[in-house]
Amino acid sequence: MNFIQTRGYDENRPKTVTFSEAILSPIASFGGLYVPENLPELGEAFLLKHLHSSYKTLASDMLSHFEIDIDKEVIDEALALYDNFDDKNNPVPVVKVRENLYISELYHGPTRAFKDMALQPFGIVLSSIAQKRNENYLILAATSGDTGPAALETFKNRANVQVACLYPAGGTSDVQRLQMVTEDAKNLKVIGIHGVFDDAQNALKHLLASNDFKMALQEKNISLSAANSVNFGRIIFQIIYHIHSYLELVRQNAVNMGEKVYLNVPSGNFGNALGGYYAWKMGLPVEKIIISSNENNVLTQLIRDGKYDLRHMKVVNTTSPAMDILKSSNVERVLYDLFGEVRTRALMEDLESKNVYELTSSELATLRKYFDADFCNGDEGKAYIKETFEKNAYLMDPHTATCFKSYETCSNPEIKSIIYSTAEWTKFSPVIANALTGEKDAEDIIALESISKIAKLEIPAMVKGLFSKKIVQDTVIEKEDIAKEILKFL
Ligand SMILES: *Cc1c(COP(=O)(O)O)cnc(C)c1O
């Protein structure tokens, strides 16, 4: 299958590209994104066929319907990484928490957050494309905490790929920082910068656009790529777990095949939600996708009022930092799917030039057929963490907690809901400890221990081990020095 472009094409590049090409240079004409030419129609027959399949078998068959230009052996090798999750037979457990309310746990991979779901297989796919073309790639990543560890983990010691990962020094949790700075491999460079996440992100965008930097790389025979969540190579792996979670409900006799469910997604850059939208379009029985946000509630505003208005908004730091995003990039793919390339280009240009776009009332009605949304502030989130722990004996992280608000305000409780849990409690322990006991500003290790005592849960060995692991990546620099530091590493 070929890939087409959300904002039309500019005649400078090909009108359609292969999957490999869309992965290697994810930005399309006029700054748009690549989308599949058409989505495979799977329907109920596919669901019935895979009712008792393993995660990997389901994934492999779903991917084959996309007819992408990646060899089957490579796909199999990529999917085999799900064997390293906690339970090889069930990498994504779906747990009943209350009547009609189920949680799909997407965090059982090596870095304990849902980024592993897509980045683990993506690493193999990208490295194999690079080897096949006999090319070398530098992957740049800027992280507020979860993408960095997952990207380092997946590219560690992979051929033809080097990674430079930028993080705000002091701006991540201890666990997240230790996951990065203890990562020891010749092809990985972790760089702390004095600044906030936006500084890291801006530095990355600047490098991706810099001709000087590209020339300097070319001299070393290296091309530049990025592993951010607009990359379709990540999105494709995020369709699978929505289908899997539904099949789990059927297997648990929670729904009859064909019965519609809500998908409730804690959203930032909208990759997770987009995966659910594509799964729905491919035949999954969905009532509605509920988008949950934190105080950075631009998606709620869009889905409720049809307006994406950043004119008076500034990113605020919240207790769910992986969702502290205002430019939610993957929304563009939904706009394209619903309203076409001409309209998408006009809307995105409005956003770039005026910091705002507005849907017509009929466009808004169309969008609302698929989505509803609400946002949850930090105190509300902590109250849901405490209540769900005390009443339902279920421990969740602050990102997952945002879904409980929209569950109450946006869904019909008679219809089953799947809430997606995107991080393990170990990754955001100070917020959770604060929610459960009121203790404030504890260091991660203290918070981990107090939660472990209250919840009678072991701190996973991998997380505990981080605190005594040798720090091998100790570079912390000013943002002006990033390019120089990366070139030195290469
Ligand atoms: C990345 C992330 C999110 C947001 O997911 P998107 O696909 O960007 O919407 C939510 N929670 C956690 C813990 C994350 O790491």
Side-chain angles (χ1 to χ4, degrees):
M1 172 181 314
N2 279 324
F3 285 74
I4 51 178
Q5 315 179 47
T6 52
R7 303 187 196 180
Y9 89 111
D10 61 10
E11 301 188 0
N12 293 321
R13 51 189 100 206
K15 194 165 183 183
T16 66
V17 299
T18 63
F19 180 72
S20 301
E21 286 161 334
I23 282 189
L24 291 176
S25 12
I27 300 303
S29 301
F30 308 114
L33 302 173
Y34 288 106
V35 286
E37 202 155 24
N38 42 51
L39 285 168
E41 293 259 353
L42 300 179
E44 193 169 297
F46 181 87
L47 297 177
L48 283 167
K49 177 176 168 198
H50 288 294
L51 189 50
H52 297 290
S53 297
S54 69
Y55 192 90
K56 278 193 296 183
T57 306
L58 166 72
S60 163
D61 195 13
M62 195 225 74
L63 292 170
S64 73
H65 282 82
F66 275 89
E67 296 174 15
I68 52 180
D69 60 334
I70 306 293
D71 296 337
K72 172 132 179 27
E73 300 77 67
V74 173
I75 301 260
D76 288 345
E77 193 192 341
L79 295 176
L81 291 178
Y82 291 122
D83 291 344
N84 302 332
F85 282 43
D86 291 338
D87 179 357
K88 171 178 168 154
N89 296 314
N90 190 8
V92 181
V94 181
V95 185
K96 180 171 181 178
V97 173
R98 285 187 208 161
E99 206 48 45
N100 291 345
L101 177 55
Y102 294 78
I103 295 196
S104 173
E105 298 179 345
L106 302 176
Y107 56 75
H108 289 276
T111 72
R112 319 315 290 165
F114 108 102
K115 298 293 187 285
D116 287 331
M117 292 306 307
L119 274 169
Q120 277 285 303
F122 179 75
I124 299 253
V125 170
L126 191 119
S127 165
S128 86
I129 299 172
Q131 287 173 66
K132 204 166 170 182
R133 294 175 164 229
N134 206 9
E135 290 170 352
N136 294 301
Y137 282 89
L138 169 67
I139 309 285
L140 286 179
T143 185
S144 64
D146 281 331
T147 303
L152 295 167
E153 189 61 32
T154 193
F155 290 116
K156 177 160 78 181
N157 297 321
R158 296 249 179 261
N160 298 48
V161 178
Q162 288 168 290
V163 179
C165 174
L166 310 175
Y167 73 96
T172 69
S173 77
D174 296 340
V175 168
Q176 291 171 324
R177 179 179 49 83
L178 290 170
Q179 283 181 324
M180 294 187 275
V181 298
T182 59
E183 202 58 280
D184 193 8
K186 271 211 200 84
N187 69 330
L188 307 179
K189 177 75 188 174
V190 178
I191 302 174
I193 59 163
H194 297 294
V196 294
F197 170 63
D198 267 348
D199 296 314
Q201 172 108 320
N202 287 337
L204 178 137
K205 285 186 182 154
H206 177 75
L207 288 181
L208 285 173
S210 156
N211 279 328
D212 286 352
F213 187 64
K214 274 187 209 144
M215 298 261 277
L217 291 181
Q218 238 164 40
E219 278 172 29
K220 298 175 190 277
N221 221 353
I222 296 174
S223 314
L224 198 53
S225 190
N228 54 17
S229 73
V230 298
N231 199 309
F232 201 84
R234 283 176 60 177
I235 300 297
I236 200 168
F237 290 105
Q238 297 192 253
I239 302 171
I240 302 158
Y241 56 72
H242 292 285
I243 302 175
H244 160 86
S245 300
Y246 183 85
L247 290 175
E248 267 295 309
L249 290 197
V250 180
R251 286 193 278 268
Q252 294 177 19
N253 292 319
V255 299
N256 297 314
M257 181 63 86
E259 187 178 332
K260 291 181 178 175
V261 300
Y262 290 105
L263 310 181
N264 192 324
V265 187
S267 296
N269 224 359
F270 214 77
N272 196 351
L274 179 72
Y277 175 80
Y278 283 155
W280 186 355
K281 290 246 145 170
M282 289 163 65
L284 199 69
V286 176
E287 175 70 24
K288 214 163 239 191
I289 298 174
I290 312 280
I291 300 301
S292 303
S293 315
N294 60 27
E295 291 90 330
N296 296 292
N297 58 0
V298 59
L299 291 170
T300 304
Q301 183 193 77
L302 173 69
I303 290 161
R304 293 228 164 148
D305 308 330
K307 209 166 171 181
Y308 202 104
D309 190 352
L310 298 180
R311 284 173 302 181
H312 309 289
M313 290 192 87
K314 250 187 106 173
V315 181
V316 291
N317 292 329
T318 71
T319 51
S320 43
M323 292 153 62
D324 292 349
I325 286 176
L326 288 179
K327 284 206 173 145
S328 183
S329 313
N330 278 303
V331 173
E332 177 168 352
R333 288 187 161 114
V334 172
L335 297 179
Y336 170 80
D337 198 65
L338 297 177
F339 312 126
E341 65 186 36
V342 174
R343 182 63 175 151
T344 302
R345 184 176 167 197
L347 292 171
M348 298 316 293
E349 283 180 354
D350 278 352
L351 187 64
E352 273 154 32
S353 63
K354 300 181 214 146
N355 252 337
V356 56
Y357 67 73
E358 195 165 355
L359 303 179
T360 65
S361 58
S362 85
E363 285 169 341
L364 176 60
T366 304
L367 185 70
R368 289 188 56 84
K369 273 196 236 156
Y370 295 93
F371 297 97
D372 203 351
D374 204 350
F375 72 99
C376 175
N377 71 34
D379 286 339
E380 291 170 326
K382 281 189 277 189
Y384 286 120
I385 291 174
K386 187 168 161 73
E387 181 194 316
T388 309
F389 177 67
E390 288 172 355
K391 286 205 188 138
N392 308 105
Y394 189 81
L395 188 63
M396 64 183 165
D397 97 295
H399 300 79
T400 313
T402 62
C403 300
F404 280 70
K405 170 86 175 279
S406 56
Y407 172 74
E408 284 175 3
T409 59
C410 300
S411 40
N412 171 353
E414 307 281 298
I415 298 174
K416 269 94 181 166
S417 283
I418 302 173
I419 284 179
Y420 290 91
S421 182
T422 48
E424 188 178 58
W425 62 277
T426 54
K427 291 210 85 169
F428 300 94
S429 55
V431 177
I432 299 172
N434 179 245
L436 297 182
T437 70
E439 71 192 83
K440 280 211 177 104
D441 304 323
E443 285 178 32
D444 280 35
I445 187 67
I446 310 277
L448 284 166
E449 273 159 13
S450 60
I451 298 167
S452 151
K453 219 183 281 160
I454 304 166
K456 302 190 177 61
L457 288 168
E458 294 268 340
I459 304 171
M462 186 282 288
V463 174
K464 207 163 186 179
L466 285 173
F467 292 88
S468 51
K469 229 170 148 186
K470 188 159 178 269
I471 291 176
V472 289
Q473 305 264 5
D474 55 4
T475 307
V476 178
I477 57 174
E478 299 299 330
K479 49 184 192 269
E480 292 72 30
D481 300 329
I482 293 171
K484 205 171 66 194
E485 191 68 36
I486 294 176
L487 291 169
K488 201 167 79 190
F489 153 68
L490 300 170

